[in-house]
Amino acid sequence: MDNTIQKTVHVLAQLAPSSGGSGASKSFQQLVRSIGEAKTKHEEDRIMKREAVILKEKLGSRDTNTRQMREYLIRLIYCEMLGVECSWGYIHAVKFTQSSNIADKRIGYLASSLLLHPNHELNMLLINSLQRDLRSSNMLEVSMALIIICRLIGEEMVPPLLPLVREKMHHPKELVRKKAILAMHHFYRCSSDSIGHLLEEFRQALSDPDPGVMDAAVVLLHDMIKGNPSAYKDLCPAFKSILSQIISRRLPQTFEYHSVPAPWIQIRILRILAILGTDDAKISEDVYDVIEATLGSAECTSNIGQAITYECIRTISSIYPKPSLIQKAANTISRFLVSSSNNWKYLGITALAALVLIEPKYALNHQMTVIECLDDPDETLKRKTLDLLYKMTNPSNVTVITEKLIAYLRKTTDEFIKTDLVSKITQLAERFAPDNSWFISTMNSVFELGGSLVRREVAHNLMRLIAEGTEDEDLDKELRGNAVSSYIALLSKPQELPDVLIKIICWVVGEYVYEVEDEYQVEDVLEKITGLLQLEFKDIRTYSWIINSIARLIALIGYVPEYLHSQLAVYLAWEDTDVQQRCSELFEFSEKLELMQAVLPLDSACEDLEIDASLSFLDSYVSEALVQGASPYKPPHMRVSQKASQSPKPQQRPSIKFEPYATPSRPIATSHVTSSSPSLARKELTDSLSSSSSVGGAEVTRDRESISDESKPHTQSTLKSGIQSKGNQKWSRTGYAKAAAPVIVDNISNRIDDVSESVRSSTSSIDDIKEPKAETAANATSIKGSSIEAVPQIPVEQAKKQQLASALFTGLSGPAQRPSKQRRGREERERGSSKLNTNANDDKGKTQETSQLIDLEGIDFSTTGTAPVAAPPSPPPPEEGRGGGGGGGSLFDQLQVLSNETHVHEDEASDTLLMKPSQGGGKPLTESSTSFNDDLIGLFDGSSSTSTSLTSGQPSLPPVSSLPSSFDTTTSLLPTPSPSSSPAPTLLAIMDAPLSSNTVKLPDALNNVTSVSGWNKKELVSDGHIRLSVTKLLHPDKLALVLTLSNQKQAPITSVNMSCTPPSNTKGLRWKDGEEEESEEDLSWTGDLEGFANGTLILSLVPKGPSIAMNLKGEILYTDNTKTQRRLFYDIALYPTDFMRPYVQTTPQFAEKWGSYSNEKKLSLKLDSIKTPDDLMKLVSSRFNFHEIQIIGLCGVFH
Amino acid sequence: MIKFVLLVNKQGQTRLSQYYEHTRIDERVNIEADIVRKCLARNEDQNELSILEFIHNVVETYDRFFDSVCELDIMFNIDKAHMILDEMIINGEITETNKDRVLAPVAVLDRAAGHK
């Protein structure tokens, strides 16, 4: 203290104005003094804000000399450092870098580097002065420019400076050489390829005579090696020799720190060796001796020596292991651990944690020390010890270690440490739990103490564990009984529980309270659960869980207690629709308790559910609608041709678009229906179904026997063909499904995966209708984060340390024990679920899951690409029955087939769905039945038109006649079909080249033939794989049809057979070999189609007699890449005009036939008014519709 | 790498700060308020003891330049304190620990400022 006062006096004396020199102004002294005297941050703020105002004024004034300016800039640095932004002053700092005085310049640079950042716009102004200073002959100027480059230069400013900096790498002064290499290091960090070509120079710098320059090169190469170790393996001998030179004290003495030579360089090289030696036995072999030597030379009592020793141990544990070295490292660790310095102990614990990963037995020798460190008052040491414990956990010591971790979790208040601990405990419990009841009680503590920090999947795993149990019935009973009892006990102080735990409690108690009926009155439990409604939750969906639990309990006791009505009434109008929904369901059911009990049977969470895949419960609707005159369902391909002639009826009602916009392009001839229609139609169906299925759900689904397989083929084909007709959108939802589906690997889903694909598709249709109500598990979005002291603290008895130690360190010496058999089943599940967790525990995973949901939603409404019918070998369907949380939620969960992982994201999913919760209570069917049929038709209309319009947006299919010049580039981007792959000679690989142009692919006779308007490459049919288009060409004496079949996908399709039957009044001919000859044979094209290839069939139709309505019917058979045979029908409407040609006649020809063209028409004319031939002509013209040509005398010529 | 250096006095008031990664001013204030015990931010894989020793080295260097440094030295000569640090840490890496070499350029600049 005395020293400080003396010092202060000394400094103040120095600063007094009279002392001259570098004396600061009075106001600066005043400022520093007032900052120093400020007692609070608030006071400090006030001072700095006032200072900023003064500075703004002073910096703005013109008459400031350089000395004042220097001081102002330093004061500006103060302002920013203490939290007052002064961006108005930055420009002054930049200007000051131009000063001629080197000290002023340095202040300018210093202020710039502290005030600006690499992406600041003012940096541009620095480039000039930096370039000038780099060229300066004064090494100090060069040096400061290089320092500033390291601080302020962003990626885009590297090029103008790089050549100059490169020159400086060969500067005579080592100070400059060193900083130039460090500037290169900065460039490397800006953009790793900016200095790749200079590698050789950096290697040379490694052998620079100056140690400082060498060190800079080590810094740079360290970063480069971290990026790509394998490319620098050859540098190992160089590093090795540098390290051995350092430890043999070849460097000047000034590089020593506490008589250790260049310790930080040693540490850096050790790190590089660790990177180079990882998984490389040969390099490790080379460096063993130098590491050993370093370890030996560092053995001293100074801190820095121990830091090097520690680094050696880390290197030893990361390179290819050598037992004798590991033993040495272990010995050193023991020395650390017995040290009296906490710093060294800390080092020892950290090093031990690194070492136990390769050799667990070394922990054994230090058990007592570790236990002591656990009880050390030093927080950091304790935390590191917990980390060590986590790393050495095995099945035999997991209970003790978890206890320790939970005890620490209970004490700590640091959010970061809590999160870390929660995830550690969860991982340990999931990996090593000795039995299920231990797992449940451990997880309960974790939820209690850190509920908000737990990943929501963990809650699901817990509920699923309780629901599924093991194979052993008795054990399960006990397990559930225990769980329920412990949860009921927790209900005595519910206000302390986090949301997620409340949800788990509600679900478990609701499902399994009957297991403890001997101990508890269900009525009492119901009262307690109802009491939860009084609490406030962060996640409002928690109320859904509570209401759900209440419903289950009511079903169990068989009557509705009086108080419930008043308690629940408020939730009928709750802000959250899901809560409303459940509440109204509950009220409806309370009228019909028997039905309720049937819907909510005991112990049904794991039952598989059968689904009426064919929607046969809608049959009565359909027949009713048919009776009322609705038109029967037509598959989409039948409707395509119809729609071509009809003008589409646009859907007027606006709705949200669910489809991505098609890439803009000229549409193919088919007319667009407003693109909003599919989503609209979907919405309508959803609405009408949801109103019916809430009723139907109760009747149809619970009554399992009634759900038979007598699915109406009609309905099924509806779905199938609805699916088939889909265009393959670039952004196909099925693509998401493929990505997401394999994630769900679950034993339950295996049981159901024989459900056929089509069942799956229609199932999901039911499902997403149910979705809003089926809100069930895992709304663990925001959960109360309070820590609660609920589980009695496990006492740590100091006297039993020894015992504890032996418990902790069991299993470390021998091979890890296998978990008990009972656990194994769980472990396997865990593995499945952890696989899932890795996908689902971040936002990315979430999107994946969500999109999967959306996908399922889309499938049956035929807006996606390939349909499940044709889907490649299917991943296990994402179905899981009602396992765990999936079953917990809905009163209608019998309809649930989605996995509960999917439910995790119901929040998101339900946003995309339209709910009508108020209809849930069971309104009569008739309400929506009238509109139902129309909706269906609207739905499928919409879907097929979407497919056509969207296909036109295919990137691989540039629209006809657009940009012929881009043709080449398009083909080069696509896999070009090889001509040899065309089995039939007529296969013409024309990639959408305009037919009217002079392509050799068409027979000569058909070149320059005009096509029928509207029939140029008119699309006929398409599915996910192929697309058929036709062009009608008006050949002078016949109609030519060019049928182009294109494979829309990369995958080849095989055994294609495209055949057709011409109308009976025409003769069909096929062009062969592209020549003019016509050969009459069977009108078909067969062959295989490579990805994106085309096959073409050219026909000629010669009319035999006139007919008004003609149709060319055809069929395409092919096998897709999944070996599924598919069939598509098409028909081409032919009109009389297609066969009519202009009739050319010369006047002599006409005259020749004059007599044969006789026609007589009698007409009586009143000639009273006719006075002149002109009048007569007019009359005749108007009555006979003649055209007057000429009047010659008294003769009139008419046409 | 080292992310920033912060000198605070015993009352936890900031006396010097340098950031090697751009940090917004409001974030800086928060960070500095949060750091009471910790003086240096480090990565998980840092050798903490070597960083601790480096801090010692910095202080020893200040000591030599200011002749047993105190808070007021830093406050009145914040520019010098920064320049010394600029020599020792570049790009967030420890680049110079040889005190002679650290102080040589700073001393020259100090003289240049005095002659003015």
PDB file of all heavy atoms in Angstrom, chain A residues 864-881:
ATOM      1  N   THR A 864     -47.111 -34.725 -53.531  1.00  0.00           N
ATOM      2  CA  THR A 864     -45.676 -34.987 -53.498  1.00  0.00           C
ATOM      3  C   THR A 864     -45.244 -35.733 -54.731  1.00  0.00           C
ATOM      4  O   THR A 864     -46.039 -36.052 -55.601  1.00  0.00           O
ATOM      5  CB  THR A 864     -45.323 -35.838 -52.278  1.00  0.00           C
ATOM      6  OG1 THR A 864     -46.101 -37.030 -52.364  1.00  0.00           O
ATOM      7  CG2 THR A 864     -45.624 -35.112 -51.021  1.00  0.00           C
ATOM      8  N   GLY A 865     -43.980 -36.020 -54.769  1.00  0.00           N
ATOM      9  CA  GLY A 865     -43.415 -36.678 -55.934  1.00  0.00           C
ATOM     10  C   GLY A 865     -43.813 -38.132 -55.978  1.00  0.00           C
ATOM     11  O   GLY A 865     -44.975 -38.464 -56.087  1.00  0.00           O
ATOM     12  N   THR A 866     -42.848 -39.020 -55.860  1.00  0.00           N
ATOM     13  CA  THR A 866     -43.157 -40.425 -55.954  1.00  0.00           C
ATOM     14  C   THR A 866     -44.001 -40.852 -54.772  1.00  0.00           C
ATOM     15  O   THR A 866     -43.852 -40.372 -53.678  1.00  0.00           O
ATOM     16  CB  THR A 866     -41.885 -41.271 -55.951  1.00  0.00           C
ATOM     17  OG1 THR A 866     -41.013 -40.695 -54.991  1.00  0.00           O
ATOM     18  CG2 THR A 866     -41.273 -41.284 -57.311  1.00  0.00           C
ATOM     19  N   ALA A 867     -44.859 -41.751 -55.044  1.00  0.00           N
ATOM     20  CA  ALA A 867     -45.785 -42.172 -54.018  1.00  0.00           C
ATOM     21  C   ALA A 867     -45.242 -43.372 -53.292  1.00  0.00           C
ATOM     22  O   ALA A 867     -44.365 -44.050 -53.781  1.00  0.00           O
ATOM     23  CB  ALA A 867     -47.090 -42.545 -54.692  1.00  0.00           C
ATOM     24  N   PRO A 868     -45.764 -43.609 -52.111  1.00  0.00           N
ATOM     25  CA  PRO A 868     -45.335 -44.779 -51.380  1.00  0.00           C
ATOM     26  C   PRO A 868     -45.540 -46.054 -52.179  1.00  0.00           C
ATOM     27  O   PRO A 868     -44.802 -47.008 -52.025  1.00  0.00           O
ATOM     28  CB  PRO A 868     -46.230 -44.781 -50.162  1.00  0.00           C
ATOM     29  CG  PRO A 868     -46.677 -43.382 -50.009  1.00  0.00           C
ATOM     30  CD  PRO A 868     -46.692 -42.793 -51.380  1.00  0.00           C
ATOM     31  N   VAL A 869     -46.520 -46.065 -53.018  1.00  0.00           N
ATOM     32  CA  VAL A 869     -46.766 -47.261 -53.808  1.00  0.00           C
ATOM     33  C   VAL A 869     -45.522 -47.632 -54.588  1.00  0.00           C
ATOM     34  O   VAL A 869     -45.163 -48.788 -54.730  1.00  0.00           O
ATOM     35  CB  VAL A 869     -47.905 -47.005 -54.809  1.00  0.00           C
ATOM     36  CG1 VAL A 869     -48.319 -48.295 -55.458  1.00  0.00           C
ATOM     37  CG2 VAL A 869     -49.066 -46.335 -54.126  1.00  0.00           C
ATOM     38  N   ALA A 870     -44.882 -46.634 -55.080  1.00  0.00           N
ATOM     39  CA  ALA A 870     -43.738 -46.905 -55.924  1.00  0.00           C
ATOM     40  C   ALA A 870     -42.450 -46.619 -55.201  1.00  0.00           C
ATOM     41  O   ALA A 870     -41.401 -46.612 -55.784  1.00  0.00           O
ATOM     42  CB  ALA A 870     -43.817 -46.036 -57.159  1.00  0.00           C
ATOM     43  N   ALA A 871     -42.553 -46.368 -53.931  1.00  0.00           N
ATOM     44  CA  ALA A 871     -41.364 -45.949 -53.198  1.00  0.00           C
ATOM     45  C   ALA A 871     -40.320 -47.043 -53.221  1.00  0.00           C
ATOM     46  O   ALA A 871     -40.648 -48.209 -53.255  1.00  0.00           O
ATOM     47  CB  ALA A 871     -41.729 -45.631 -51.774  1.00  0.00           C
ATOM     48  N   PRO A 872     -39.060 -46.649 -53.224  1.00  0.00           N
ATOM     49  CA  PRO A 872     -37.994 -47.634 -53.177  1.00  0.00           C
ATOM     50  C   PRO A 872     -38.091 -48.399 -51.864  1.00  0.00           C
ATOM     51  O   PRO A 872     -38.758 -47.940 -50.946  1.00  0.00           O
ATOM     52  CB  PRO A 872     -36.733 -46.787 -53.226  1.00  0.00           C
ATOM     53  CG  PRO A 872     -37.147 -45.409 -52.917  1.00  0.00           C
ATOM     54  CD  PRO A 872     -38.574 -45.291 -53.298  1.00  0.00           C
ATOM     55  N   PRO A 873     -37.399 -49.532 -51.784  1.00  0.00           N
ATOM     56  CA  PRO A 873     -37.512 -50.401 -50.624  1.00  0.00           C
ATOM     57  C   PRO A 873     -37.636 -49.570 -49.365  1.00  0.00           C
ATOM     58  O   PRO A 873     -36.761 -48.779 -49.036  1.00  0.00           O
ATOM     59  CB  PRO A 873     -36.182 -51.163 -50.637  1.00  0.00           C
ATOM     60  CG  PRO A 873     -35.768 -51.170 -52.054  1.00  0.00           C
ATOM     61  CD  PRO A 873     -36.410 -49.994 -52.724  1.00  0.00           C
ATOM     62  N   SER A 874     -38.719 -49.754 -48.700  1.00  0.00           N
ATOM     63  CA  SER A 874     -39.100 -48.750 -47.727  1.00  0.00           C
ATOM     64  C   SER A 874     -38.273 -48.856 -46.459  1.00  0.00           C
ATOM     65  O   SER A 874     -37.964 -49.940 -46.007  1.00  0.00           O
ATOM     66  CB  SER A 874     -40.561 -48.937 -47.377  1.00  0.00           C
ATOM     67  OG  SER A 874     -40.689 -50.215 -46.829  1.00  0.00           O
ATOM     68  N   PRO A 875     -37.912 -47.714 -45.900  1.00  0.00           N
ATOM     69  CA  PRO A 875     -37.389 -47.723 -44.549  1.00  0.00           C
ATOM     70  C   PRO A 875     -38.546 -48.116 -43.640  1.00  0.00           C
ATOM     71  O   PRO A 875     -39.702 -47.977 -44.040  1.00  0.00           O
ATOM     72  CB  PRO A 875     -36.988 -46.271 -44.329  1.00  0.00           C
ATOM     73  CG  PRO A 875     -37.787 -45.495 -45.303  1.00  0.00           C
ATOM     74  CD  PRO A 875     -38.071 -46.401 -46.458  1.00  0.00           C
ATOM     75  N   PRO A 876     -38.231 -48.579 -42.435  1.00  0.00           N
ATOM     76  CA  PRO A 876     -39.329 -48.958 -41.558  1.00  0.00           C
ATOM     77  C   PRO A 876     -40.292 -47.792 -41.432  1.00  0.00           C
ATOM     78  O   PRO A 876     -39.866 -46.656 -41.259  1.00  0.00           O
ATOM     79  CB  PRO A 876     -38.630 -49.212 -40.223  1.00  0.00           C
ATOM     80  CG  PRO A 876     -37.201 -49.354 -40.538  1.00  0.00           C
ATOM     81  CD  PRO A 876     -36.954 -48.758 -41.863  1.00  0.00           C
ATOM     82  N   PRO A 877     -41.556 -48.054 -41.564  1.00  0.00           N
ATOM     83  CA  PRO A 877     -42.500 -46.951 -41.480  1.00  0.00           C
ATOM     84  C   PRO A 877     -42.410 -46.296 -40.112  1.00  0.00           C
ATOM     85  O   PRO A 877     -42.147 -46.971 -39.124  1.00  0.00           O
ATOM     86  CB  PRO A 877     -43.862 -47.613 -41.686  1.00  0.00           C
ATOM     87  CG  PRO A 877     -43.624 -49.054 -41.485  1.00  0.00           C
ATOM     88  CD  PRO A 877     -42.199 -49.333 -41.760  1.00  0.00           C
ATOM     89  N   PRO A 878     -42.576 -45.019 -40.086  1.00  0.00           N
ATOM     90  CA  PRO A 878     -42.404 -44.308 -38.827  1.00  0.00           C
ATOM     91  C   PRO A 878     -43.592 -44.512 -37.909  1.00  0.00           C
ATOM     92  O   PRO A 878     -44.331 -43.591 -37.621  1.00  0.00           O
ATOM     93  CB  PRO A 878     -42.298 -42.860 -39.276  1.00  0.00           C
ATOM     94  CG  PRO A 878     -43.053 -42.816 -40.550  1.00  0.00           C
ATOM     95  CD  PRO A 878     -42.963 -44.166 -41.169  1.00  0.00           C
ATOM     96  N   GLU A 879     -43.767 -45.710 -37.487  1.00  0.00           N
ATOM     97  CA  GLU A 879     -44.933 -45.977 -36.680  1.00  0.00           C
ATOM     98  C   GLU A 879     -44.467 -46.600 -35.392  1.00  0.00           C
ATOM     99  O   GLU A 879     -43.530 -47.368 -35.354  1.00  0.00           O
ATOM    100  CB  GLU A 879     -45.840 -46.952 -37.413  1.00  0.00           C
ATOM    101  CG  GLU A 879     -46.348 -46.367 -38.713  1.00  0.00           C
ATOM    102  CD  GLU A 879     -47.056 -47.395 -39.522  1.00  0.00           C
ATOM    103  OE1 GLU A 879     -47.198 -48.521 -39.037  1.00  0.00           O
ATOM    104  OE2 GLU A 879     -47.473 -47.065 -40.631  1.00  0.00           O
ATOM    105  N   GLU A 880     -45.137 -46.289 -34.390  1.00  0.00           N
ATOM    106  CA  GLU A 880     -44.643 -46.791 -33.136  1.00  0.00           C
ATOM    107  C   GLU A 880     -45.748 -47.141 -32.181  1.00  0.00           C
ATOM    108  O   GLU A 880     -45.538 -47.304 -31.002  1.00  0.00           O
ATOM    109  CB  GLU A 880     -43.740 -45.738 -32.501  1.00  0.00           C
ATOM    110  CG  GLU A 880     -42.730 -46.382 -31.606  1.00  0.00           C
ATOM    111  CD  GLU A 880     -42.114 -45.360 -30.733  1.00  0.00           C
ATOM    112  OE1 GLU A 880     -42.846 -44.774 -29.926  1.00  0.00           O
ATOM    113  OE2 GLU A 880     -40.910 -45.163 -30.854  1.00  0.00           O
ATOM    114  N   GLY A 881     -46.910 -47.257 -32.683  1.00  0.00           N
ATOM    115  CA  GLY A 881     -48.000 -47.534 -31.767  1.00  0.00           C
ATOM    116  C   GLY A 881     -48.103 -46.411 -30.765  1.00  0.00           C
ATOM    117  O   GLY A 881     -47.889 -45.263 -31.098  1.00  0.00           O
TER     118      GLY A 881
END
